[in-house]
Amino acid sequence: MDEPGRLLQARGAGGLPPPPPSEPGEPRKRDLGEILQQIMAITDQSLDEAQAKKHALNCHRMKPALFTVLCEIKEKTGLSIRSSQEEEPVDPQLMRLDNMLLAEGVAGPEKGGGSAAAAAAAAASGGVSPDNSIEHSDYRNKLAQIRQIYHAELEKYEQACNEFTTHVMNLLREQSRTRPVAPKEIERMVGIIHRKFSSIQMQLKQSTCEAVMILRSRFLDARRKRRNFSKQATEVLNEYFYSHLSNPYPSEEAKEELAKKCGITISQVSNWFGNKRIRYKKNIGKFQEEANIYAVKTAVSVTHGTPSGGTSPTTPSSAGSGGSFNLSGSGDVFLGLPGLNGDTYPPAQVESLRHSMGQGPYGEGLAAGQLYSPRDMRANGGWQEAATPSSAMSPTEGPGSVHSDTSN
DNA sequence: CTTAATGATTCTTA
DNA sequence: TAAGAATCATTAAG
């Protein structure tokens, strides 16, 4: 086990053998020349011959000195060559991948990262809704799976890398017996190996990132994993819609309030109203029953006491909204009170009532406490001509016989 | 399995 | 830029 000793010897600049005394130098010079000649001639010889020669040279008394000199030369030249290409600049893409994996909780600390990422994903999905924990646990599971695979693979690569590195080191050490091997060279070798393996790791990271992205889009794309709103939420929304039927455009504040009340986001409220308006308008008959139900509900609650001024048709939009969008918009409450004869559609009544209020066919545009979007303040004061039951429903046509399909 | 309902998205429009 | 309109994708009901 004298290899390290040789290496050390080679490293030290002062490890040079003392210069041969000039006086009795003659025979030594000859010696050296001989050796060099033999070395040069080795390549021209057969393998067996060369082996024999090698052995002879190894046993030569001048061998250590020559070896050291060679080491010295090699290190000096090698240094100048290599120093330029050191300092790999840390691949920015690798950094990006690392960051992403860290952020997604695939890399990084054990369990905390994963759950944190899942929580972040939950937050990103926007739902405060309490009932989506199932999907998120599912998401977490899948993420954990990815994470597990990732780590297993990573470990495999790491292990392979280490194994290969030690193997190469051993080889080099072995070779350092017969040829000069500078520590720098070993370092460089190790660096090369690591780079190779890290490029494999990069591929792993890349595909892991892709997998996570796909998983995310799967779970976070609400369109794919749509959940119906809770019954209560739908009720709240419908209540608002039908009690503001003349102008079902909740203000930002109202939307906020509704969102909070329903446990959904504001944009979900907007979506809901958008869908509701268009679908209501498209087939009013279909919604009559619903309208009646909510009208009754609202009416009932009105009789049970609403905030003061709620029924005043002339109430301008007072800053309001602080409390609620609730029942104050009473302008439409009468809408569709069920007929006593079983015919539940009283368009005529509505029409007359509306007219009696001295406004367009849609009742007073500005019910109490509402902040309407400017867009809806059209000349006719309504949100859509066809949107009113009175004009959209043929008298002879019940809701059941409505055939103007939704084409949905 | 088929179909209606429904939440979301994506364009178009004013 | 928000609403309308068309469409998509999923859920729930039959």
Side-chain angles (χ1 to χ4, degrees):
Chain A
M1 273 301 205
D2 56 347
E3 293 93 59
R6 281 206 181 97
L7 292 173
L8 277 172
Q9 209 179 348
R11 197 185 307 131
L16 280 170
S22 49
E23 176 76 16
E26 265 309 304
R28 284 215 178 164
K29 263 187 200 159
R30 232 184 317 119
D31 232 5
L32 274 176
E34 249 172 59
I35 291 171
L36 284 173
Q37 217 162 358
Q38 284 172 10
I39 291 172
M40 301 304 270
I42 274 183
T43 50
D44 297 329
Q45 294 165 344
S46 75
L47 203 61
D48 285 342
E49 259 180 311
Q51 283 290 358
K53 215 38 153 214
K54 205 174 101 187
H55 184 70
L57 279 170
N58 268 331
C59 297
H60 196 278
R61 62 191 169 85
M62 285 300 286
K63 190 237 177 183
L66 272 170
F67 190 85
T68 314
V69 171
L70 278 172
C71 280
E72 186 77 10
I73 292 168
K74 186 162 181 194
E75 177 150 358
K76 284 208 169 133
T77 53
L79 259 177
S80 57
I81 293 167
R82 262 175 252 124
S83 55
S84 55
Q85 72 177 60
E86 291 296 335
E87 298 284 329
E88 54 180 316
V90 182
D91 192 343
Q93 200 190 344
L94 186 65
M95 246 169 66
R96 251 194 12 243
L97 288 174
D98 274 337
N99 285 341
M100 196 205 135
L101 287 174
L102 211 62
E104 294 295 337
V106 175
E110 256 315 301
K111 205 63 190 173
S115 53
S125 76
V128 205
S129 50
D131 63 344
N132 54 8
S133 52
I134 306 132
E135 296 124 78
H136 289 321
S137 76
D138 204 7
Y139 176 83
R140 249 200 305 278
N141 287 343
K142 289 259 163 62
L143 195 70
Q145 223 171 308
I146 290 176
R147 184 187 160 86
Q148 195 184 336
I149 293 169
Y150 170 78
H151 276 119
E153 291 293 304
L154 205 64
E155 201 166 324
K156 240 196 278 175
Y157 289 150
E158 214 122 279
Q159 200 183 328
C161 180
N162 283 340
E163 261 171 38
F164 192 67
T165 305
T166 50
H167 178 69
V168 168
M169 293 256 277
N170 282 339
L171 272 180
L172 283 174
R173 224 167 262 156
E174 194 67 33
Q175 289 187 6
S176 75
R177 249 192 246 264
T178 53
R179 76 183 177 93
V181 177
K184 275 273 178 196
E185 195 173 357
I186 295 178
E187 248 172 62
R188 196 171 129 253
M189 225 35 189
V190 170
I192 289 170
I193 293 167
H194 280 189
R195 264 196 291 282
K196 284 280 178 220
F197 272 89
S198 81
S199 83
I200 297 172
Q201 277 191 7
M202 181 127 127
Q203 279 179 12
L204 171 69
K205 283 173 181 176
Q206 191 135 30
S207 49
T208 306
C209 274
E210 264 168 44
V212 171
M213 287 315 241
I214 290 168
L215 184 70
R216 263 188 90 109
S217 69
R218 272 279 155 72
F219 278 82
L220 264 44
D221 186 355
R223 190 142 102 172
R224 284 186 173 281
K225 210 83 180 172
R226 206 199 81 229
R227 310 267 350 148
N228 289 351
F229 295 158
S230 70
K231 199 118 174 98
Q232 191 210 340
T234 318
E235 213 161 289
V236 170
L237 293 166
N238 271 317
E239 224 164 84
Y240 187 96
F241 181 80
Y242 287 110
S243 69
H244 297 75
L245 201 52
S246 66
N247 208 35
Y249 300 88
S251 63
E252 281 309 306
E253 288 91 339
K255 279 183 195 170
E256 217 172 300
E257 188 74 31
L258 284 167
K260 211 194 299 177
K261 217 167 176 170
C262 299
I264 58 180
T265 65
I266 292 176
S267 67
Q268 280 179 304
V269 173
S270 298
N271 284 341
W272 190 90
F273 273 89
N275 283 323
K276 192 72 184 180
R277 279 192 300 264
I278 197 77
R279 283 163 184 165
Y280 178 85
K281 194 185 74 180
K282 254 186 160 170
N283 194 346
I284 292 164
K286 205 170 63 183
F287 289 93
Q288 269 308 307
E289 207 173 336
E290 197 176 69
N292 295 334
I293 290 167
Y294 284 101
V296 171
K297 260 189 197 171
T298 312
V300 168
S301 14
V302 165
T303 59
H304 284 173
T306 44
S308 62
T311 49
S312 162
T314 56
T315 308
S317 64
S318 59
S321 87
S324 59
F325 49 82
N326 63 6
L327 315 162
S328 57
S330 60
D332 305 295
V333 168
F334 55 81
L335 230 204
L337 280 172
L340 299 173
N341 59 359
D343 182 4
T344 47
Y345 315 101
Q349 290 176 19
V350 172
E351 186 76 24
S352 63
L353 267 167
R354 286 200 152 137
H355 278 112
S356 76
M357 306 195 98
Q359 292 268 342
Y362 308 107
E364 69 287 356
L366 282 173
Q370 300 176 44
L371 296 164
Y372 295 122
S373 347
R375 173 181 235 274
D376 312 307
M377 309 302 273
R378 299 197 195 133
N380 66 2
W383 55 285
Q384 237 294 351
E385 277 97 43
T388 175
S390 48
S391 60
M393 289 240 327
S394 142
T396 62
E397 219 173 47
S401 62
V402 173
H403 44 30
S404 62
D405 199 10
T406 57
S407 80
N408 216 2

